[in-house]
Amino acid sequence: MKLVSVNLENFRGYRGNNLINIDSDLTGIIGKNDAGKSTVLEALDIFFENSNIDKSDKCVHASDDELVSITCTFSDFPESLSLDESSQTTLLNEYLLNQNSLLEIKKTFRITQKISTDLSIIANYPSNAGLDNLITLKNTELKALFKTKQLEISKVDDQRSNTCLRQFLFKSENLSFATKEIPLNKEDARNIWDSLKLYLPIFALFKSDRNSSDQDSEVQDPMKLAIKHALSEIEPQLKAIQEHIKSKVEDVAQRTLSKLSEMDAALAKDLIPDFSKDPKWDSIFSMSLSSEQGIPVNKRGSGVRRLILLNFFRAEAEKKFIEANGRSIIYAIEEPETSQHPNYQEMLIRALLDLAILPKTQILVTTHTPALAGLMPISSLRYITKNENNQHTIEHASNDEILISISNDLGIHPFGAISNTQCKGYIFVEGVSDVVFLKHIVAKFAENSIIAKDYIESLDIQLLISGGSDNLKHWVNYKLIESLQKPWAVFFDSDNDGQNCDKYQKNLSIQAKYPQIVFHLTKKRECENYLHPNVILRETNNSVIYVPDNFSDQKLSLHPQLLPHIAVKKTNLIEKLWGKTTFEEILESCTDSDGNNEFLGFINRVEERFGLISSK
C-alpha cells in the first residue's frame, strides 16, 4: 500500500481540516522553523501506532466538543481480503473505497480525562434503506434482513458467509451512494481492520532531536527497522503462533472456569478469559553497534551517528534493488541535514532520491535548509506557512509565485560564478559527470577539426551545473539565465529505460516547456551508456568484456565488473573513464545507424543559436 494523503484535524497547531498530498516517491515538506513540518511526520507516527497521542496534542484553539483526527488515504491496497473462513472479498465489492476509489482510513481521538480512539473507513457506501450498514451486521442480522426484504435466502451460495449474504443483498436493489464513515469496531468491519493491518506500510520516523541513550539513539533505529522488516516477512507464521498460544491458553482458562463453577458458579460466571493485548514481537529482539575498542556508537559525536544513518539509507537502497517484495515502507526523516557537513547533506538527499524511486518505497523529508530543498524535485515540494491568524496554509510548488516565496524564504539562490562578459552563452548540465562528458567531446571534435575550436576551453560557452532536471535550484538558475539575456542550452540525460518510464516522460515534458532553446536529451539512457568497450578492455587488461546497452543502468551493471580492476565508484564512472576515450571511439559510440552523430548535431545547433562560427 502507498500513502496518497494525510489529513490533520485539530491536531496540535493544525486547526480544522488540513490536507497534505503525498507523492508516490519523495515528498519534501518545507517551511520556516515552527511552521508545522515535524507535526505532519509525528501525526503519521501516531496513525501507524509507533507512538501514542497525548492530551496536549489537541489544538488549543479547538472547542471542547471538537475531536482530533488523523486520516490517511492509500492506493495499491490488497486485491482481496478474507473476512470469514469460507470466502474472499474485495474492498471494491464491499463498497469500502472513497469517491476516488482509494482506501481512506480515519482515526478519531476523544481527548477528555482519558483518551479513546475510534477507527473508521470513509467510503462511498450504498445509502439504500436497510443496506447502508451491512458491513456492521452479524450473520443472524443479515439473514433477518432477507426476511424483512422478502428475499429467498436459499439462493445464496453459502449462508454461513457474511460476504455472500452482503453481495446478494447489494445485487437485490438499484443502489444509490453517499459518503459514509463506517466504524471498524463491529462484526466483519473489525475483521477488515485486522486484515488491512497486515498490508499497511511500515512507517519509520527518524527525528533530528532523538535522545542519545543506547536503546533510543538515532543509530539504533535502523537496527530496529531491520528487525521490523524481518518480522514483517514472517507475519503469517507469527499470526499462527499467536493463535496457537491463544487457543491453548483459552482452553486452560475454560477448563479452569469449568472446575471453578463446580465450587462457586457465581464467581466462575463473573470471570471471562481476556487475551486483549497482542504480543510486541519487535521488543523481544535487540541489536547495538560498537567500535572495535568497545566504544558504543551513542557515545560518539552526533555527526558520526547521523553519518551512520546516512549509510543505512545507502545500504537499504542497494538492498531494495534486489528485494522489492513484502510490505511497502515509508521513511520519514526530520531535518536530515542536522549535524552534517554540507557535502554529507547533499550525499544524503541523493541517497534518498535513489531510494525513493524503488518499488514499495516512499520518502518524506522535512527541511528548512536551502541545499536540501534545492535538490528536491519541484513537484515533490509541500510549502507550509502560517497566515496572520496563525492558520496553516499548505501549498504545492505549482506556480512561479509559490516558487519565488520558497526560494526567498529558504534563501535558495543561484550559483554565483557566472561570467557575463566574455561568455557567448550557457549550457545547463545535471552534474560533474556531464561536465566531464561534454568537455571531452568538444575538445576531441576541435582537435580533429570537426568544429572550429574548443568553445568550452576558450570560455565562449560556460557549463553550469543545475543539479537535475526538476528541482528548485534548477528553476532558480533558469530564471537567472533568462534575466542575463544571453542564449542558453540544456544538456540532460534522458533517463530512458526503453520502456518510456515516468522519469523519461517528465524529461520530455520539461523539454517541451522550452521550445525556443536548444534542449538536448541523450538518445541513450545517460552518459555512462556511451562508454566504449575498448576503453573497458584497456583499463582492465582485457579482463572485462563489456557489451554496451543503450537503456540499462550501467552504474549497476558495469560498476561491479570494474571493482576488482579499477578503484571506481558508481557515481564517477564517467570522470574515471570518459577522458580515456579516443576521438574514433567517441564517433563510434555516439553515431547512429544513419551516420548521424548526436553530439555533433547538438554542438552545431548551439553554434547557430549562440552566434558562434559555423562548423567545418
Side-chain angles (χ1 to χ4, degrees):
M1 291 166 62
K2 281 208 167 185
L3 184 63
V4 174
S5 68
V6 56
N7 187 76
L8 306 183
E9 182 179 9
N10 300 322
F11 183 78
R12 297 187 187 172
Y14 286 87
R15 177 81 168 90
N17 285 290
N18 299 268
L19 180 68
I20 303 104
N21 290 319
I22 307 297
D23 273 14
S24 61
D25 299 328
L26 180 139
T27 303
I29 302 173
I30 61 178
K32 294 182 178 179
N33 284 328
D34 202 35
K37 304 183 299 296
S38 297
T39 296
V40 177
L41 304 190
E42 289 166 7
L44 286 168
D45 205 45
I46 290 171
F47 179 90
F48 287 102
E49 300 179 355
N50 296 327
S51 59
N52 298 318
I53 196 165
D54 188 80
K55 290 181 181 179
S56 62
D57 286 327
K58 183 172 182 176
C59 180
V60 295
H61 302 293
S63 61
D64 291 341
D65 59 342
E66 287 183 300
L67 303 176
V68 178
S69 69
I70 304 170
T71 305
C72 287
T73 304
F74 299 93
S75 64
D76 300 344
F77 38 81
E79 292 183 3
S80 63
L81 294 173
S82 177
L83 302 187
D84 52 51
E85 295 180 357
S86 58
S87 60
Q88 294 273 322
T89 188
T90 68
L91 294 170
L92 179 64
N93 289 341
E94 296 287 354
Y95 300 106
L96 294 176
L97 302 177
N98 66 15
Q99 290 184 329
N100 298 318
S101 298
L102 297 171
L103 173 62
E104 190 170 350
I105 301 173
K106 181 177 182 179
K107 290 190 175 183
T108 303
F109 305 94
R110 303 176 186 275
I111 301 178
T112 54
Q113 291 300 318
K114 292 185 177 180
I115 298 176
S116 60
T117 304
D118 294 331
L119 185 65
S120 60
I121 282 181
I122 298 176
N124 192 34
Y125 203 75
S127 57
N128 305 55
L131 303 181
D132 56 355
N133 63 342
L134 294 191
I135 196 66
T136 65
L137 299 184
K138 298 178 182 179
N139 187 269
T140 54
E141 294 170 328
L142 288 168
K143 289 176 179 177
L145 190 58
F146 273 77
K147 292 182 180 180
T148 302
K149 292 184 172 291
Q150 298 181 342
L151 298 172
E152 295 184 40
I153 197 169
S154 60
K155 293 183 178 180
V156 178
D157 293 335
D158 185 355
Q159 296 177 31
R160 298 169 303 168
S161 168
N162 290 2
T163 297
C164 292
L165 293 171
R166 283 194 298 270
Q167 293 307 308
F168 191 94
L169 287 165
F170 283 140
K171 292 174 182 177
S172 68
E173 297 184 28
N174 291 323
L175 299 177
S176 55
F177 297 89
T179 297
K180 181 181 177 67
E181 193 169 320
I182 301 168
L184 295 181
N185 56 356
K186 292 184 179 180
E187 203 53 26
D188 269 12
R190 186 187 296 113
N191 296 335
I192 290 173
W193 179 239
D194 290 339
S195 297
L196 287 175
K197 279 199 298 186
L198 303 179
Y199 297 94
L200 284 178
I202 296 170
F203 184 80
L205 173 59
F206 294 87
K207 299 182 68 175
S208 62
D209 58 355
R210 193 179 292 123
N211 71 46
S212 297
S213 69
D214 267 327
Q215 295 306 310
D216 294 319
S217 70
E218 53 204 18
V219 180
Q220 185 70 12
D221 275 313
M223 301 303 108
K224 290 180 178 178
L225 183 57
I227 291 170
K228 273 193 173 184
H229 257 312
L231 291 172
S232 70
E233 292 172 357
I234 57 169
E235 187 80 40
Q237 294 95 311
L238 294 177
K239 193 74 175 175
I241 292 171
Q242 183 178 330
E243 290 300 322
H244 176 77
I245 294 172
K246 181 179 178 181
S247 65
K248 292 295 183 182
V249 173
E250 287 180 342
D251 177 61
V252 172
Q254 290 294 352
R255 287 189 284 110
T256 301
L257 292 176
S258 177
K259 290 299 180 185
L260 179 61
S261 66
E262 295 175 4
M263 301 179 66
D264 190 334
L267 177 58
K269 187 177 181 180
D270 187 55
L271 298 175
I272 301 172
D274 184 7
F275 208 90
S276 57
K277 289 188 177 180
D278 290 338
K280 300 226 175 252
W281 298 103
D282 54 349
S283 65
I284 299 173
F285 305 94
S286 178
M287 180 179 289
S288 60
L289 295 172
S290 298
S291 69
E292 288 185 0
Q293 291 77 29
I295 302 172
V297 169
N298 70 291
K299 302 301 182 184
R300 307 288 291 273
S302 59
V304 170
R305 298 200 301 272
R306 299 294 283 188
L307 190 57
I308 290 173
L309 179 62
L310 157 65
N311 286 283
F312 161 74
F313 280 112
R314 295 180 66 200
E316 190 67 14
E318 293 186 9
K319 177 175 177 287
K320 282 279 187 174
F321 274 112
I322 303 169
E323 298 177 3
N325 57 352
R327 288 162 65 182
S328 58
I329 185 165
I330 301 171
Y331 296 105
I333 306 100
E334 180 187 69
E335 298 179 5
E337 65 271 17
T338 303
S339 304
Q340 286 303 306
H341 186 278
N343 289 346
Y344 289 143
Q345 292 180 15
E346 184 167 337
M347 285 175 64
L348 177 55
I349 198 64
R350 294 198 183 282
L352 296 177
L353 287 166
D354 288 341
L355 185 58
I357 63 175
L358 299 177
K360 300 184 179 181
T361 303
Q362 289 177 278
I363 307 293
L364 307 181
V365 178
T366 68
T367 187
H368 50 68
T369 299
L372 262 68
L375 289 171
M376 295 181 195
I378 292 175
S379 60
S380 75
L381 300 181
R382 306 292 179 267
Y383 182 42
I384 299 179
T385 57
K386 291 181 181 179
N387 62 21
E388 61 277 6
N389 298 319
N390 212 35
Q391 295 289 311
H392 283 87
T393 301
I394 303 158
E395 297 177 291
H396 288 221
S398 56
N399 58 59
D400 283 1
E401 185 178 345
I402 294 173
L403 291 171
I404 290 170
S405 297
I406 294 173
S407 58
N408 288 339
D409 262 9
L410 300 190
I412 299 175
H413 303 299
F415 34 65
I418 296 180
S419 169
N420 193 27
T421 54
Q422 185 177 356
C423 180
K424 301 290 180 62
Y426 308 95
I427 299 177
F428 272 108
V429 295
E430 292 184 65
V432 175
S433 292
D434 305 285
V435 172
V436 172
F437 187 75
L438 266 185
K439 284 183 72 173
H440 186 61
I441 290 174
V442 172
K444 286 296 180 185
F445 281 2
E447 182 183 313
N448 289 273
S449 301
I450 299 296
I451 58 177
K453 65 176 181 176
D454 188 336
Y455 299 115
I456 298 173
E457 182 67 24
S458 65
L459 298 180
D460 286 340
I461 295 175
Q462 188 168 354
L463 300 182
L464 304 176
I465 297 175
S466 72
S469 60
D470 183 26
N471 59 46
L472 187 57
K473 188 184 295 183
H474 172 92
W475 175 87
V476 173
N477 291 338
Y478 271 11
K479 291 296 179 183
L480 174 64
I481 290 298
E482 290 175 351
S483 71
L484 293 177
Q485 297 183 336
K486 284 198 172 187
W488 53 288
V490 175
F491 178 89
F492 283 158
D493 294 335
S494 68
D495 299 312
N496 185 3
D497 64 356
Q499 305 296 322
N500 292 319
C501 62
D502 288 344
K503 200 169 181 182
Y504 175 50
Q505 293 300 325
K506 285 181 181 177
N507 287 338
L508 289 177
S509 66
I510 293 169
Q511 181 181 29
K513 291 179 182 178
Y514 298 95
Q516 75 281 9
I517 66 169
V518 178
F519 198 121
H520 186 81
L521 291 176
T522 58
K523 292 184 178 179
K524 299 180 183 181
R525 182 180 184 129
E526 52 192 350
C527 295
E528 286 78 4
N529 295 81
Y530 293 90
L531 285 168
H532 197 282
N534 291 348
V535 178
I536 308 302
L537 287 172
R538 288 197 299 271
E539 290 300 302
T540 61
N541 295 318
N542 298 317
S543 298
V544 175
I545 305 299
Y546 171 56
V547 180
D549 185 294
N550 291 348
F551 302 118
S552 66
D553 190 336
Q554 297 303 298
K555 292 188 183 77
L556 291 177
S557 59
L558 183 56
H559 171 249
Q561 298 181 62
L562 296 178
L563 273 180
H565 309 278
I566 309 172
V568 60
K569 299 178 182 178
K570 287 188 292 186
T571 53
N572 69 350
L573 284 175
I574 289 296
E575 291 98 305
K576 198 85 172 181
L577 300 174
W578 185 249
K580 300 174 182 180
T581 308
T582 66
F583 170 67
E584 291 75 19
E585 288 165 351
I586 291 174
L587 287 182
E588 186 177 341
S589 64
C590 305
T591 303
D592 61 25
S593 57
D594 296 325
N596 300 314
N597 186 288
E598 69 169 286
F599 301 124
L600 179 59
F602 170 65
I603 295 169
N604 289 161
R605 285 184 290 143
V606 168
E607 287 177 321
E608 182 180 352
R609 178 75 178 86
F610 289 14
L612 300 169
I613 301 171
S614 301
S615 60
K616 295 182 180 179

